[in-house]
Amino acid sequence: MVSTSFSMRAYKSLIALLGFAFVIGLVIIVSQFGAVKIGLDDWASLLHGGGNTQSNSSYILWQLRFPRIIFAIGIGATLGLSGALTQSLFRNPLADPGLLGVSAGAACAVAVAIVIFGDVNIEILSHWRLWTTPIFAFVGAVLVCLTLDRVARWITPGSIAGLLLTGIALNAIAAAFIGLCTYLATDEQLRNFTFWTMGSLSGSNWMLVQAVSVLFMLAWWRLRKLVKVMNVFALGESAAVHVGVEISPIRMEVIVWVALLTGFAVAWCGMIGFVGLIAPNFARAWLGGDQRKVIPVSMILGAILLLLADTFARTIAIPAELPVGIFTALLGAPFFIMLLRTSRRQIA
């Protein structure tokens, strides 16, 4: 038992070290891409002057690219963690906050907030967005999560098709409210909102980096204590109850964390789909179903996936910028079809 525990800790440490080294190397590489070329002199100026750099290139590197790159890593890890929790909660490899309507519910609540605050002349996107919109998004995501949980437990227990159809219905309802808010929005709100619904990290800054870092660290500190229980929970409610696990508090806590992670990500950078679907499935195919391995690797894969997608979004059409959600959807939709094909017996 002691050797097994030691080997697990050594394995997790090795995975964390390799993942951290790979992400650091990737950060250095992708920071070179953009409308402004970065040379060795700019790196030297940045290293000697820190944030108080003199050259335009080093200023762009420190104030624009680094915050956006780190923000992409944080949001990607958050989405990967949210997807892994969602799939564990519903014991379903096809579960994803975007597909099941959790992201749409958060976006719907934010859309309502934008229109309401716009009517009372409060610029929510520029001044209040950091904290006000995440609160609205959290409320919308919680409502969808609770609805899905009720459906999964009582209406269509164990049915993948029922869960997906419920998600489609919730997405449709949220889309209807978003369409209504779009119709009522002003021209300025409409421009911001249209780009936001497709996902964008263009509003990233060091303050947002700090905010997402605090959220992510709190979630990881708490959830790392639940992974063993979640492994038992994955065997089914009856098995969990048999070994003395209280289902309801754990289920509710996971729902709250999924809603928090998804809602804050949607509020800060819009609707970015499929990251929470792809990362946990790759981690599970690589490492098996042990949540102690799947959850941290899902976070690393989610961070890498969104970082690469955002690099394409900001560089493929220079000087214009494309929504990052386009690239995650182009990658995620075929992946989802492949998962549907492998799960067709369960769906039937």
Side-chain angles (χ1 to χ4, degrees):
M1 180 65 70
V2 176
S3 63
T4 303
S5 177
F6 177 78
S7 62
M8 177 57 67
R9 289 197 300 268
Y11 179 83
K12 291 167 66 175
S13 300
L14 178 61
I15 288 293
L17 181 61
L18 292 177
F20 180 76
F22 183 80
V23 170
I24 291 297
L26 194 59
V27 166
I28 296 174
I29 293 173
V30 300
S31 64
Q32 304 298 309
F33 296 96
V36 177
K37 300 297 181 182
I38 302 297
L40 293 177
D41 293 340
D42 301 312
W43 281 98
S45 175
L46 180 64
L47 292 175
H48 285 93
N52 301 317
T53 55
Q54 299 297 323
S55 69
N56 291 333
S57 298
S58 54
Y59 175 84
I60 289 172
L61 186 63
W62 178 253
Q63 296 294 340
L64 299 180
R65 290 192 190 172
F66 274 171
R68 180 159 181 165
I69 288 171
I70 299 173
F71 187 58
I73 291 172
I75 292 295
T78 299
L79 292 175
L81 175 59
S82 178
L85 292 175
T86 304
Q87 292 175 16
S88 175
L89 176 66
F90 295 108
R91 299 188 298 276
N92 189 332
L94 297 176
D96 170 70
L99 294 174
L100 299 183
V102 180
S103 297
C108 177
V110 173
V112 172
I114 291 174
V115 173
I116 290 176
F117 278 87
D119 289 339
V120 295
N121 296 320
I122 296 179
E123 294 294 336
I124 185 171
L125 285 179
S126 58
H127 300 297
W128 295 75
R129 182 185 178 197
L130 182 61
W131 299 115
T132 305
T133 52
I135 293 174
F136 279 94
F138 169 68
V139 172
V142 163
L143 292 176
V144 174
C145 282
L146 291 175
T147 303
L148 283 169
D149 183 57
R150 184 178 182 86
V151 170
R153 293 178 62 186
W154 291 304
I155 300 178
T156 58
S159 171
I160 294 179
L163 187 64
L164 292 177
L165 290 174
T166 304
I168 292 173
L170 293 175
N171 268 310
I173 294 172
F177 278 98
I178 291 173
L180 177 62
C181 292
T182 301
Y183 178 77
L184 297 175
T186 63
D187 291 340
E188 182 180 356
Q189 291 172 344
L190 184 60
R191 284 192 298 269
N192 292 328
F193 186 65
T194 301
F195 198 77
W196 173 79
T197 53
M198 293 184 287
S200 173
L201 303 179
S202 59
S204 57
N205 53 54
W206 285 116
M207 184 178 295
L208 277 178
V209 169
Q210 295 174 14
V212 74
S213 299
V214 170
L215 173 66
F216 180 75
M217 291 174 65
L218 287 174
W220 176 239
W221 173 79
R222 176 54 187 155
L223 292 169
R224 64 191 296 267
K225 300 180 180 180
L226 295 178
V227 290
K228 294 181 180 180
V229 180
M230 292 173 67
N231 276 334
V232 179
F233 183 69
L235 299 176
E237 293 189 8
S238 58
V241 172
H242 182 71
V243 297
V245 175
E246 296 184 9
I247 295 295
S248 298
I250 296 173
R251 182 184 287 271
M252 183 56 61
E253 184 172 1
V254 173
I255 286 175
V256 169
W257 278 113
V258 168
L260 269 174
L261 296 169
T262 304
F264 275 56
V266 169
W268 285 331
C269 56
M271 298 176 64
I272 301 175
F274 294 104
V275 175
L277 176 71
I278 298 173
N281 275 283
F282 269 118
R284 195 176 298 107
W286 178 23
L287 301 169
D290 190 347
Q291 294 297 320
R292 294 174 297 177
K293 300 178 182 178
V294 170
I295 286 180
V297 174
S298 296
M299 294 187 295
I300 295 174
L301 293 177
I304 293 172
L305 176 61
L306 188 57
L307 178 58
L308 294 176
D310 185 59
T311 301
F312 279 109
R314 65 181 176 83
T315 59
I316 200 170
I318 292 175
E321 180 179 320
L322 300 177
V324 67
I326 293 176
F327 294 93
T328 58
L330 288 175
L331 178 63
F335 185 81
F336 179 63
I337 293 173
M338 182 183 69
L339 282 177
L340 284 175
R341 184 175 182 275
T342 57
S343 304
R344 60 185 183 275
R345 290 184 180 179
Q346 293 175 276
I347 294 176

